[in-house]
């Protein structure tokens, strides 16, 4: 199931089997808009044996989180179920000094159900349903003086307490039929996203402006694919995809009269989209050690937007072919060398009908080139992976906020080039001791902003110049099935610029996380944890007044130190 709206991304992750991060264009296998990569979140499957889990977490900020689930057979070998849920109640840890209230409070409720029906050995019905309801604080931006994007001493001071809520519903039915030579798959899905928020719009202690917004997105999609058996020299997959979306966004701007609000603007836009795609992939074992892969996807996305305020309707279509080629050479049993080149595509669309942004933003495309290796040494106790990549973007999307109209918009950068290198090392030098480290360097430059020479040669926004991480985990056996597991993670990110003019820059920052657990196999575990152990302060999001029309620059603070205890059990 592919998400239909970016507003669905920030969901609570629970009952997860694994998360896969794939780099580079992934349209052929993982769907639309996977221009720079894909994140594949795989939830746990229903089981043919009964199993249950419960996890309770208590943390600072009066934060209580309870997660649990159950799985097993309704009819053994034929009908299996899995249900899981998560509930969190959090008072917050970021204080508004004007209101003397924490602003990052939340109540988050989630439930997910899954039924797996296996009427025959080669036919499977997989029904998935999920529901999420979030209520909490919103929009705790902090006003800043000019040229002080790294000033973390100014607190939240808005005179209006921002609030927001979101309700998500997702339903999907996947049908697999194994015909021997190939598997036929159908995926039918529906999703609904309803979101509202109310916020201060100057984020100052004195009354000024306020805003509210309601968003409603519905989507239905259908995918068909046919996949060959995997135990043959030539492997193939092809399919088709269709999605239809309906998006209503209603924004209202108010004059804040110190407790009462006078409406002064109300842009309302109704957007509709219909997208179709065809895709396929061939993989061929040229020799026992050399695999060649060719993939191709074609997307056509038709967008229509009606400004209900201005009674103006606009239509536009975006389309692109997305080829991908790769070679993988297995030099030894423990060494893989690969090279890949692929084109990515993300559809264009319409900004909300205000004067803040151009009504239309173009589709974004790129060509990505990557060369890398994956190696294993010392009986798999040492793994070393690395990659070089080069990406040329055309019409790169950059998100902006315009506070004068409460509009959120996308602008295009005509041409951007990103070059980088990555290295990853994992080692187990001693029984129970795992070490891991990764590093990356990235050079992202604007080659052509708008054809006038403006900003050409500047660093591309929101791209860290470097990053690295390292960590260690040690499991000390205590006997009788008990173990003490200690883990420390250190993450660092280099400088980045916030806007195309490069005037405001985020300095590098370093974060340490730590945890220690007492566990008894897979039966139970008690963990004490700390995130951002040394309470590092930095900016997660920043907008300069020149780009958003406010009286001051604004920043979004990172989450301060969090610490607590987690107890989990499986039975």
């Amino acid at each position: 199931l592919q998400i239909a709206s970016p507003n669905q991304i920030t969901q609570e992750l629970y009952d997860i089997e694994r998360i896969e991060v794939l780099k580079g264009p992934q349209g052929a296998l993982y769907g639309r808009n996977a221009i720079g990569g894909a994140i594949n979140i795989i939830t746990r499957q229903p089981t043919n044996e009964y199993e249950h889990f419960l996890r309770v977490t208590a943390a600072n900020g009066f934060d209580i989180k309870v997660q649990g689930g159950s799985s097993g057979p309704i009819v053994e070998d034929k009908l299996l179920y899995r249900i899981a849920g998560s509930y969190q109640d959090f008072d917050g840890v970021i204080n508004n000094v004007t209101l003397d209230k924490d602003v990052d409070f939340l109540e988050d409720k989630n439930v997910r159900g899954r039924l797996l029906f296996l009427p025959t050995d080669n036919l499977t019905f997989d029904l998935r349903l999920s529901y999420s309801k979030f209520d909490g604080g919103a929009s705790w931006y902090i006003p800043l003086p000019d040229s002080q994007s790294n000033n973390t001493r100014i607190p939240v001071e808005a005179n209006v307490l921002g609030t927001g809520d979101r309700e998500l519903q997702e339903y999907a039915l996947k049908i697999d039929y194994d015909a021997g030579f190939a598997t036929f798959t159908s995926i039918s899905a529906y999703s609904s996203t309803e979101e509202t928020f109310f916020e201060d719009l100057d984020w100052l202690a004195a009354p000024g402006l306020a805003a509210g917004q309601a968003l409603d997105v519905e989507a239905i999609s259908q995918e068909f694919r046919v996949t060959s058996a995997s135990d043959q020299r030539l492997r193939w997959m092809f399919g088709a995809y269709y999605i239809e979306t309906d998006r209503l966004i209603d924004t209202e701007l108010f004059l804040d009269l110190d407790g009462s609000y006078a409406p002064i603007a109300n842009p309302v836009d109704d957007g509709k989209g219909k997208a179709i795609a065809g895709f396929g992939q061939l993989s061929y074992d040229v020799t026992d050690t050399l695999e060649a892969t060719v993939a191709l996807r074609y997307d056509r996305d038709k967008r229509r937007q009606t400004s209900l305020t201005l009674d103006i309707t606009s239509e536009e279509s975006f389309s692109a072919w997305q080829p991908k080629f790769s070679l993988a050479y297995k030099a030894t049993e423990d060494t893989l060398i690969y090279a890949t080149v692929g084109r990515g595509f993300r559809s264009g669309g319409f900004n909300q009908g205000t004067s803040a942004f151009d009504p239309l933003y173009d589709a974004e495309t790129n060509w990505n080139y990557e060369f890398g290796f994956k190696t294993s040494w010392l009986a798999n106790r040492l793994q070393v992976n690395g990659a070089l990549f080069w990406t040329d973007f055309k019409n790169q999307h950059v998100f902006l906020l315009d506070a004068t109209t409460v509009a959120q918009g996308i602008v295009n950068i005509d041409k951007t080039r990103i070059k980088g290198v990555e290295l990853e090392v994992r080692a187990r030098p001693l029984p129970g001791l795992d070490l891991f480290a990764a590093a990356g360097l990235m050079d992202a430059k604007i080659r052509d902003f708008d054809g006038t020479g403006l900003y050409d040669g500047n660093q591309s926004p929101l791209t860290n110049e470097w990053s690295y991480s390292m960590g260690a985990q040690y499991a000390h056996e205590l006997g009788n099935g008990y173990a003490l597991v200690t883990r420390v993670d250190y993450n660092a990110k280099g400088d980045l610029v916030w806007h195309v003019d490069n005037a405001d820059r985020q300095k590098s920052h370093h974060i340490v996380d730590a945890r220690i657990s007492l566990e008894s196999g897979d039966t139970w575990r008690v963990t004490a944890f700390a995130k951002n152990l040394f309470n590092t302060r930095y900016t997660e999001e920043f907008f300069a007044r020149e780009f958003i029309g406010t009286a001051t620059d604004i920043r979004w603070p990172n989450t301060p130190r969090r610490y607590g205890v987690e107890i989990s059990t499986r039975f």
Side-chain angles (χ1 to χ4, degrees):
L1 173 64
Q2 302 174 36
I3 65 169
S5 168
N7 301 75
Q8 297 173 271
I9 293 175
T10 54
Q11 299 184 44
E12 178 69 27
L13 297 180
Y14 60 101
D15 200 29
I16 300 298
E17 181 178 308
R18 68 183 186 277
I19 298 176
E20 301 172 344
V21 179
L22 303 107
K23 302 173 184 178
Q26 300 291 336
L29 285 181
Y30 292 96
R32 65 196 297 261
N33 293 337
I35 185 170
I39 299 175
N40 193 22
I41 301 172
I42 296 105
T43 57
R44 294 186 182 276
Q45 294 238 19
T47 55
N48 206 28
E49 295 182 357
Y50 289 107
E51 62 176 45
H52 320 281
F53 77 93
L54 178 65
R55 182 181 300 115
V56 179
T57 305
N60 62 318
F62 294 97
D63 185 8
I64 298 295
K65 182 187 294 185
V66 180
Q67 298 178 336
S70 175
S71 178
I74 298 175
V75 178
E76 192 170 337
D77 298 324
K78 292 296 182 182
L79 183 60
L80 315 178
Y81 79 91
R82 189 172 195 97
I83 187 168
S86 173
Y87 175 79
Q88 183 178 10
D89 189 9
F90 174 43
D91 284 0
V93 290
I94 299 176
N95 187 252
N96 179 315
V97 296
T98 301
L99 303 174
D100 193 24
K101 293 181 179 179
D102 290 331
V103 295
D104 54 332
F105 59 93
L106 64 87
E107 184 180 23
D108 192 16
K109 295 169 277 191
N110 304 271
V111 64
R112 183 190 303 127
R114 190 169 175 184
L115 283 175
L116 197 61
F117 179 42
L118 304 96
T120 67
D121 290 341
N122 55 1
L123 181 61
T124 302
F125 294 86
D126 187 350
L127 177 64
R128 311 181 191 196
L129 307 93
S130 68
Y131 175 81
S132 173
K133 182 71 169 70
F134 175 94
D135 298 279
S139 188
W140 50 87
Y141 287 102
I142 298 172
L144 294 175
D146 277 351
S147 304
Q148 294 192 26
S149 58
N150 292 288
N151 185 342
T152 60
R153 298 184 302 275
I154 300 175
V156 178
E157 59 182 50
N159 71 300
V160 175
L161 183 66
T163 57
D165 63 78
R166 182 185 63 187
E167 184 177 61
L168 303 176
Q169 299 180 60
E170 296 175 337
Y171 311 95
L173 175 63
K174 181 183 179 187
I175 304 172
D176 287 309
Y177 176 71
D178 185 354
F181 73 97
T183 299
F184 294 80
T185 300
S186 166
I187 304 173
S188 307
Y190 167 84
S191 69
S192 170
T193 304
E194 296 181 15
E195 188 174 83
T196 64
F197 69 81
F198 186 78
E199 63 178 357
D200 199 321
L201 203 56
D202 49 46
W203 298 284
L204 296 169
L209 294 174
Q213 188 176 87
L215 174 71
D216 189 352
V217 182
E218 288 188 287
I220 57 170
S221 64
Q222 177 64 53
E223 179 175 332
F224 296 106
R225 65 170 65 196
V226 184
T227 307
S228 71
S230 59
D231 57 347
Q232 53 192 36
R233 192 165 187 174
L234 176 64
R235 299 169 298 280
W236 47 265
M237 177 277 298
F238 62 88
Y241 179 77
Y242 172 81
I243 185 170
E244 186 172 324
T245 57
D246 193 344
R247 178 177 182 267
L248 181 69
I249 181 167
D250 183 349
T251 305
E252 194 157 11
L253 181 65
F254 300 93
L255 184 64
D256 179 3
L257 302 175
D258 199 16
S260 62
Y261 304 97
I264 54 179
N266 184 208
V268 182
D269 292 274
D270 183 21
K272 299 184 185 299
K274 293 182 180 180
I276 58 171
F279 53 89
Q281 178 170 298
L282 294 173
S283 294
Y284 181 67
D285 294 333
V286 182
T287 69
D288 290 342
T289 58
L290 180 63
E291 179 192 64
T293 300
V294 179
L296 183 65
R297 181 183 179 93
Y298 176 76
D299 276 286
R300 181 172 179 81
D301 194 350
K302 184 177 182 180
R303 301 286 182 98
R304 179 185 181 189
Q305 179 157 298
T306 300
S307 170
L308 302 181
T309 307
L310 303 176
D311 194 24
I312 297 175
T313 298
S314 304
E315 293 186 0
E316 189 67 41
S317 293
F318 307 90
S319 62
W321 291 95
Q322 300 142 72
K324 186 175 182 179
F325 312 92
S326 64
L327 289 172
Y329 174 59
K330 198 166 186 178
T332 70
E333 282 296 319
D334 300 316
T335 303
L336 177 71
I337 302 171
Y338 67 90
T340 181
V341 55
R343 187 174 192 241
F345 165 79
R346 177 157 42 211
S347 179
F350 295 97
N351 290 313
Q352 192 173 7
T354 72
S355 59
F357 305 103
D358 290 338
L360 180 73
Y361 60 93
D362 290 329
E364 178 183 25
T365 59
N366 69 13
W367 278 99
N368 181 75
Y369 311 87
E370 183 175 343
F371 172 80
F373 61 87
K374 299 181 179 181
T375 64
S376 176
W377 310 79
L378 304 175
N380 207 34
R381 286 186 289 125
L382 174 64
Q383 299 170 24
V384 182
N385 304 327
L388 298 168
F389 61 90
W390 175 304
T391 306
D392 282 320
F393 280 95
K394 183 178 181 181
N395 295 324
Q396 183 181 7
H397 291 175
V398 177
F399 172 81
L400 287 176
L401 166 72
D402 183 78
T404 60
T405 60
V406 212
Q408 304 166 37
I410 290 175
V411 299
N412 293 111
I413 300 176
D414 284 357
K415 295 180 182 179
T416 307
R417 175 170 291 167
I418 301 176
K419 296 179 287 185
V421 58
E422 297 175 336
L423 184 67
E424 178 185 16
V425 179
R426 303 183 69 89
R428 174 165 279 197
L430 298 170
L433 176 61
D434 292 293
L435 305 176
F436 31 90
L441 297 174
M442 193 173 297
D443 179 34
K445 290 290 192 296
I446 297 172
R447 298 179 61 210
D448 183 4
F449 178 68
D450 60 2
T452 67
L454 181 68
Y455 306 134
D456 290 3
N458 280 7
Q459 185 177 340
S460 180
L462 307 180
T463 305
N464 295 103
E465 294 178 340
W466 54 263
S467 64
Y468 65 87
S469 62
M470 61 184 68
Q473 177 172 297
Y474 180 63
H476 177 61
E477 299 295 336
L478 301 175
N480 297 321
Y482 296 103
L484 191 65
V485 181
T486 305
R487 180 176 177 125
V488 177
D489 290 275
Y490 177 85
N491 294 280
K493 291 186 177 181
D495 291 8
L496 63 75
V497 297
W498 293 109
H499 295 300
V500 292
D501 64 353
N502 288 193
D504 297 286
R505 181 178 293 269
Q506 167 70 56
K507 291 182 178 179
S508 62
H509 57 273
H510 307 256
I511 301 293
V512 175
D513 299 331
R515 59 195 299 122
I516 183 168
S517 302
L518 177 64
E519 56 186 55
S520 174
D522 292 331
T523 306
W524 58 262
R525 177 183 300 141
V526 179
T527 302
F529 65 88
K531 299 179 180 180
N532 190 7
L533 178 63
F534 298 108
N535 204 26
T536 300
R537 301 298 178 102
Y538 62 95
T539 296
E540 286 193 351
E541 191 173 45
F542 173 90
F543 294 104
R545 63 182 180 84
E546 293 86 354
F547 287 87
I548 64 171
T550 53
T552 67
D553 298 346
I554 58 172
R555 66 177 288 265
W556 186 282
N558 72 297
T559 302
R561 177 170 48 230
R562 301 297 315 280
Y563 53 87
V565 176
E566 178 182 283
I567 301 173
S568 61
T569 181
R570 292 186 176 276
F571 52 96

